[in-house]
Amino acid sequence: MPVTETRMVAPCGINCSTCIAHLRERNICLGCWSDHGYKAKYCAKCSIRYCNLLEQTDSKFCYECSKFPCTRLKQLDKRYRSRYNLSLIGNLQNINNIGLEYFLKLENIKWHCSQCGGTICVHKGYCLKCGK
């Protein structure tokens, strides 16, 4: 089953297309929204993805939740800001402000490897295809 690009953005604001679990060569994760194929262990048991409050939103993104940003999202955002220089709360605010389609266009530019055309991994900071 093909994975649409919009389904590769997690409710917490992570662009799953840039995740090492999706970009690696074996056991490729199809993102937290996927019901088919392999899913990374931490995604399969994610408390944000399976939050009952998330199910009450129309968009299925945390920015629409009455508790946004919740404690769990704040903790995850802090980890991503300190380790990967990326704010998930910022991503969610961007999605809310500019829409998912435009957000993904900007993400494709941001994470595009100019050397080989691959995708730069958010967790490694370089392209897994060419190493640049």
Side-chain angles (χ1 to χ4, degrees):
M1 168 179 250
V3 178
T4 62
E5 196 173 50
T6 57
R7 299 293 285 171
M8 290 301 290
V9 179
C12 64
I14 291 174
N15 178 353
C16 299
S17 299
T18 66
C19 178
I20 192 165
H22 178 71
L23 294 171
R24 63 186 172 208
E25 290 185 22
R26 295 183 50 184
N27 295 328
I28 296 171
C29 180
L30 299 178
C32 76
W33 290 111
S34 177
D35 292 327
H36 305 288
Y38 177 81
K39 189 181 292 194
K41 189 177 358 177
Y42 41 85
C43 295
K45 62 179 184 172
C46 178
S47 61
I48 293 175
R49 165 62 177 91
Y50 296 103
C51 175
N52 62 343
L53 293 176
L54 189 65
E55 292 304 314
Q56 298 171 16
T57 66
D58 291 331
S59 68
K60 304 300 183 235
F61 284 104
C62 293
Y63 68 78
E64 198 176 16
C65 179
S66 60
K67 292 193 175 190
F68 176 75
C70 67
T71 302
R72 175 67 184 114
L73 182 60
K74 287 178 188 176
Q75 291 169 342
L76 187 61
D77 182 73
K78 182 178 179 181
R79 189 172 84 216
Y80 266 73
R81 281 186 291 114
S82 66
R83 291 184 183 176
Y84 312 117
N85 195 29
L86 174 71
S87 172
L88 302 180
I89 293 172
N91 279 359
L92 287 167
Q93 291 168 332
N94 283 337
I95 293 167
N96 189 27
N97 291 334
I98 64 175
L100 183 57
E101 308 296 330
Y102 191 61
F103 171 79
L104 284 168
K105 284 182 185 180
L106 296 177
E107 285 286 286
N108 286 338
I109 294 167
K110 179 179 179 179
W111 300 105
H112 178 81
C113 176
S114 60
Q115 194 73 27
C116 74
T119 302
I120 298 167
C121 175
V122 67
H123 299 111
K124 295 291 185 180
Y126 58 83
C127 177
L128 297 181
K129 283 187 178 181
C130 71
K132 301 291 177 188

